[in-house]
Amino acid sequence: MKTFLLIIVCLASWGVAEAQVEGTIYLKEGRNVTFKGRDRLKIPRRKQDVKGWRNAYGQDKRKEKFAVEEVDSVVCWNSRCPERQRRFIPADGIGWCWVYFETPHILTLVFAKKGYGIAVDGGIRVWQRHGIFHRSHVGYYLRKRGEAGFWYAGKAKAKTGNKFLERLCGYVREDAELCRRIREADTWRDKTIALLMEYCPED
């Protein structure tokens, strides 16, 4: 069984998952706003503003709202596992994305149209709805250092496939050794994307 499962189909109530989320909003102006203890924060999705509640379970519950244009990033965690924190950013032209990983050379994001959750053990949940003829969009987006926009790497699904490997290798072609490893990869797509943590272009 895989040690890391990227996509979990949501069969439970979305509201229940939200109720367990604490977090800190990092504003572009430099101010930080934290929701923890009796406060709760909703993980934003698509291009939504960020919403939080003070004393979320009390009679004097108060809502606070932050425009997406004002937010640099949001870091969230499950109240039962605060040491495992997950970062989300509003990517221009895409929407709210989970930061899969970031190195000095590359930023790798996961976008889920249906949104995200955080399990009791701190694990990320990427919601995906399965319809009769299609699934809601979940995909990888990459940005190398110095680039302005994001490059779409493909859908987040199981096996890689030669087409996916060649596209990914083409994107990081300046790192010949990494290209070789990508072409030889015969594993799950999320683990292939994780190889990009070693991306180190020649100066």
Side-chain angles (χ1 to χ4, degrees), residues 2-151:
K2 294 180 60 183
T3 57
F4 175 76
L5 180 60
L6 177 61
I7 300 172
I8 296 180
V9 180
C10 179
L11 298 178
S13 167
W14 172 245
V16 172
E18 289 180 339
Q20 299 299 318
V21 176
E22 300 181 347
T24 297
I25 302 169
Y26 294 86
L27 300 171
K28 292 179 180 178
E29 67 179 27
R31 185 166 57 100
N32 303 336
V33 184
T34 298
F35 291 78
K36 64 179 182 178
R38 296 182 61 84
D39 304 332
R40 289 294 181 267
L41 183 67
K42 176 181 177 181
I43 302 175
R45 62 190 179 109
R46 299 186 183 180
K47 298 180 181 180
Q48 296 176 343
D49 295 333
V50 185
K51 300 175 184 178
W53 292 266
R54 300 298 183 186
N55 196 22
Y57 306 110
Q59 292 184 348
D60 59 342
K61 175 180 177 180
R62 303 184 312 280
K63 180 180 178 180
E64 294 184 10
K65 184 176 178 180
F66 303 84
V68 62
E69 296 83 5
E70 301 174 350
V71 179
D72 176 76
S73 61
V74 177
V75 174
C76 299
W77 58 90
N78 188 289
S79 59
R80 299 185 185 181
C81 196
E83 67 277 8
R84 298 191 67 187
Q85 301 185 355
R86 307 293 176 175
R87 183 174 169 229
F88 303 86
I89 66 169
D92 291 341
I94 304 170
W96 280 98
C97 297
W98 164 44
V99 178
Y100 191 28
F101 62 83
E102 183 176 12
T103 76
H105 301 292
I106 196 166
L107 171 64
T108 302
L109 307 177
V110 173
F111 171 78
K113 183 177 181 180
K114 299 305 296 181
Y116 318 88
I118 300 178
V120 173
D121 64 359
I124 189 73
R125 289 185 172 180
V126 179
W127 304 135
Q128 184 178 83
R129 174 177 294 171
H130 292 249
I132 298 175
F133 300 108
H134 67 280
R135 300 177 180 181
S136 57
H137 177 63
V138 178
Y140 295 104
Y141 289 85
L142 313 176
R143 185 175 68 191
K144 294 184 286 191
R145 183 181 61 188
E147 292 182 338
F150 290 92
W151 180 75

Side-chain angles (χ1 to χ4, degrees), residues 148-163:
F150 290 92
W151 180 75
Y152 177 58
K155 295 180 180 179
K157 58 182 182 180
K159 296 293 285 185
T160 53
N162 290 333
K163 184 177 180 180

